[in-house]
Amino acid sequence: MKNQSKTVLSASETAAELSAQDNILIVSHKKPDGDTMGSSAALCRALKRYGKNAWLLNNSGFTARQLGYVSELTADESFVWNYTVSVDVADDDMFPDGFSGKIDLCIDHHGSNPLFGEKNCVCPERASCAEVVLAVIENLVGDPDPKEADLLYIGLSTDCGCFRYGNTDAASHLAAAKLIECGADVYSLNQIFFEKTSAHRVALESMLYEGFRSLYDGKVIVSLLTLDMLSRSGVNEDDLDNIASLPLRIEGVELAVTVRELPDGSSKVSARSGKGFSCVELCSRFGGGGHPQASGCTINKAYPDAVSLLLCEIDKLWKKI
């Protein structure tokens, strides 16, 4: 249940709140995706343009590709902040390693967000946090500049699956049009994030296709991503982008669940679905969250046991459909 005692702000109120602060640290979530990276970096740039001393937390999870967009914005050890903003962080257990402390302002779009910030701008009707940050930037400094537009487009397009996911709506397309008007280089960005892939990724996809477990007359696919597969394919974290949605390419598949074996012995679960199945309901049973059609969780068991637990919960939920 959301904490109704916490302050909830609109985009314009959030801009006013930020205008009154300085020495601002911006925090993204662990295992950062395009939305938390792009939205955080865009907000940081806009705050600097407004004259604020703002920096990104040096998230150890930033991938090689992401570092190209954020390296000049990350705080060094000498930075002392007075105000902390989280961006696209759905819950207070999703902070990256090395960060602790209160969040003064939470900017997010996950419906499962419990309003953990002292003040919160949470808009679950938005398909991406980038759309929320765009509205904040417009109220703070006007139109985003071309670099901010690029970053916001990365966040928007990756969370919408290049506008193919079920969360995409008219507002998403209007936001994309606005970012194009502001100078976003959508051709280059689409090539980088959606068109080109490495030979390592192709090798991993081949292994995943061979190991797909088909359930419920092919409507559910469970795929296992083991440490051995990661090693043999030679992939890096950038190569794993959007890997969880791979089974949804297959005609007839309504739910895709990927279980990734982690070095610490736990298992990372990523669930993607069409509109007939609630991924967030599945993942919340293991302490996770996200969106109805895209959610995740971590099961603190080795992947064979994690898969067994997961299959039991899928079966319970599937029988309710």
Side-chain angles (χ1 to χ4, degrees):
M1 180 179 296
K2 290 184 176 182
N3 188 338
Q4 298 299 328
S5 66
K6 293 297 183 72
T7 303
V8 179
L9 305 179
S10 66
S12 60
E13 291 169 333
T14 299
E17 170 72 13
L18 289 169
S19 71
Q21 308 300 330
D22 206 357
N23 301 318
I24 300 167
L25 181 71
I26 302 173
V27 181
S28 53
H29 64 65
K30 62 184 177 182
K31 295 189 180 299
D33 59 7
D35 197 15
T36 195
M37 181 279 292
S39 299
S40 296
L43 180 62
C44 186
R45 284 189 173 277
L47 285 167
K48 286 179 178 294
R49 189 156 58 94
Y50 189 69
K52 299 297 183 180
N53 185 25
W55 297 92
L56 299 181
L57 177 76
N58 192 2
N59 190 330
S60 62
F62 283 137
T63 68
R65 178 190 294 159
Q66 292 169 345
L67 284 172
Y69 296 97
V70 302
S71 58
E72 67 179 2
L73 301 171
T74 54
D76 61 28
E77 294 181 356
S78 67
F79 178 54
V80 178
W81 60 91
N82 300 325
Y83 193 82
T84 308
V85 182
S86 66
V87 177
D88 195 45
V89 182
D91 210 333
D92 57 6
D93 62 355
M94 292 185 63
F95 296 130
D97 294 339
F99 175 79
S100 61
K102 72 169 185 174
I103 295 295
D104 296 294
L105 174 63
C106 168
I107 301 176
D108 190 30
H109 72 124
H110 294 91
S112 59
N113 191 301
L115 304 184
F116 57 83
E118 292 300 310
K119 296 182 179 181
N120 302 270
C121 178
V122 178
C123 305
E125 71 277 8
R126 297 300 187 187
S128 66
C129 195
E131 294 168 64
V132 185
V133 172
L134 171 59
V136 172
I137 290 174
E138 287 176 322
N139 280 277
L140 185 69
V141 290
D143 286 347
D145 69 16
K147 286 188 176 181
E148 293 159 14
D150 277 351
L151 290 163
L152 291 172
Y153 183 81
I154 291 169
L156 169 62
S157 62
T158 54
D159 244 32
C160 291
C162 205
F163 309 97
R164 293 178 293 111
Y165 292 168
N167 61 339
T168 306
D169 57 15
S172 307
H173 287 287
L174 288 170
K178 176 67 175 181
L179 295 173
I180 293 169
E181 289 178 347
C182 292
D185 186 0
V186 296
Y187 176 78
S188 296
L189 294 172
N190 287 338
Q191 287 289 305
I192 293 168
F193 287 91
F194 300 104
E195 295 296 328
K196 299 298 182 181
T197 192
S198 72
H200 301 294
R201 167 67 179 245
V202 174
L204 181 62
E205 287 190 8
S206 177
M207 296 178 197
L208 284 169
Y209 278 124
E210 289 180 0
F212 279 170
R213 298 176 62 172
S214 179
L215 308 169
Y216 307 103
D217 298 321
K219 294 180 180 178
V220 177
I221 296 289
V222 176
S223 54
L224 305 180
L225 187 55
T226 67
L227 293 173
D228 178 65
M229 293 165 65
L230 295 174
S231 176
R232 285 191 290 127
S233 62
V235 293
N236 60 30
E237 286 299 320
D238 282 322
D239 294 320
L240 297 178
D241 187 44
N242 201 34
I243 199 76
S245 297
L246 191 64
L248 290 179
R249 297 178 183 176
I250 302 171
E251 188 173 358
V253 175
E254 299 176 16
L255 171 65
V257 181
T258 299
V259 184
R260 177 180 175 181
E261 182 182 14
L262 299 178
D264 65 2
S266 63
S267 300
K268 170 66 176 160
V269 176
S270 299
R272 304 290 185 267
S273 73
K275 293 189 174 181
F277 185 91
S278 174
C279 292
V280 72
E281 185 175 356
L282 171 65
C283 292
S284 65
R285 298 190 175 199
F286 298 98
H291 304 288
Q293 275 69 61
S295 296
C297 62
T298 299
I299 301 177
N300 293 316
K301 291 184 179 294
Y303 81 93
D305 294 329
V307 171
S308 296
L309 290 171
L310 195 61
L311 290 177
C312 288
E313 296 305 320
I314 291 173
D315 187 62
K316 293 175 187 177
L317 293 172
W318 199 260
K319 287 176 179 177
K320 292 166 56 177
I321 298 177

